[in-house]
Amino acid sequence: MNKALVLVDFINEIVHPEGKLAAKGYAEYIERHHTLDQVNSLIHSARDKSCRILRVNIQFDVNYSNRPNKSLLFASAEKFGVLKANTWSTETISDLAVQSEDKEFSKSRISIFSSTEFTEFLKDEGINSLILAGVSTDLAVLASAFNAHDLNYGITIAKDACAAANDEDHNSAVKQLSKFSQVLDVEEIQF
């Protein structure tokens, strides 16, 4: 099985304590659960086994023309100036042990599969199994896992390398994810 570790939306605006979206509870959850430590442990394990590490981050172009205009979730992005490409907002948080050879993709929707470049890369590389870690468990991770399932990818969720705005949202998403994907703690994941 050709696996890839996919890191979803570990960007400053959502994860860094000074991020506007992080203030919704994500930064506090991540700190309380030591999520970034878990993600870094997962990254090191993947790298030790020569597993591809892919980052897929939400971002909108400079004039927000690629923002879904009917999305309630992203309706205020332009108003608050968040998630704009090539800004601090959409940079991967510096606390992650990512390297320049890790492939990075952008998306303008919740699911990682909204990125054509990402889906083409998976096909070109023959990747058929994904290990997902990301923010938020109940949005980007859940939506991506649903899509991965329907596209016939093997799916493993690194539950302690995922975060939500609060424990209730995280735990509810994990319960849903366990119905159609393998849900494991970082230490249980095999590359």
Side-chain angles (χ1 to χ4, degrees):
M1 201 175 285
N2 196 0
K3 294 181 183 179
L5 170 60
V6 183
L7 307 174
V8 184
D9 292 336
F10 283 104
I11 59 173
N12 287 324
E13 201 68 72
I14 300 172
V15 176
H16 192 282
E18 294 175 17
K20 291 176 185 169
L21 300 175
K24 293 180 179 266
Y26 299 111
E28 189 273 329
Y29 180 100
I30 287 165
E31 183 178 342
R32 189 165 31 90
H33 291 281
H34 307 282
T35 306
L36 296 180
D37 292 337
Q38 296 299 330
V39 177
N40 282 330
S41 177
L42 192 61
I43 290 169
H44 293 304
S45 295
R47 208 172 303 290
D48 287 346
K49 298 292 184 181
S50 299
C51 180
R52 291 302 302 253
I53 299 170
L54 312 175
R55 292 178 281 152
V56 186
N57 295 331
I58 184 81
Q59 59 183 308
F60 303 121
D61 58 26
V62 68
N63 59 4
Y64 291 90
S65 65
N66 64 338
R67 178 183 58 84
N69 63 2
K70 292 185 173 104
S71 170
L72 296 177
L73 185 64
F74 300 127
S76 299
E78 184 174 7
K79 176 182 173 184
F80 293 106
V82 297
L83 306 178
K84 190 183 294 187
N86 303 314
T87 65
W88 176 87
S89 178
T90 56
E91 290 176 3
T92 299
I93 190 160
S94 63
D95 293 342
L96 285 192
V98 295
Q99 295 179 358
S100 58
E101 68 263 15
D102 301 336
K103 191 92 170 116
E104 184 172 4
F105 304 90
S106 64
K107 62 184 176 90
S108 60
R109 304 294 190 269
I110 297 171
S111 172
I112 58 178
F113 289 95
S114 66
S115 168
T116 304
E117 184 184 3
F118 175 74
T119 57
E120 288 175 358
F121 179 84
L122 294 179
K123 287 177 189 172
D124 291 346
E125 296 292 316
I127 294 169
N128 57 18
S129 184
L130 306 176
I131 299 167
L132 298 178
V135 183
S136 74
T137 319
D138 57 317
L139 293 169
V141 174
L142 185 61
S144 299
F146 273 132
N147 287 156
H149 172 273
D150 287 353
L151 293 169
N152 203 32
Y153 286 91
I155 315 156
T156 301
I157 307 299
K159 73 177 176 183
D160 51 348
C162 293
N166 55 62
D167 289 331
E168 182 181 347
D169 288 350
H170 175 78
N171 293 334
S172 176
V174 166
K175 184 176 179 180
Q176 293 300 313
L177 288 159
S178 66
K179 294 178 181 180
F180 61 92
S181 57
Q182 187 176 33
V183 178
L184 300 172
D185 287 328
V186 166
E187 64 188 23
E188 300 172 305
I189 293 175
Q190 300 294 313
F191 289 96

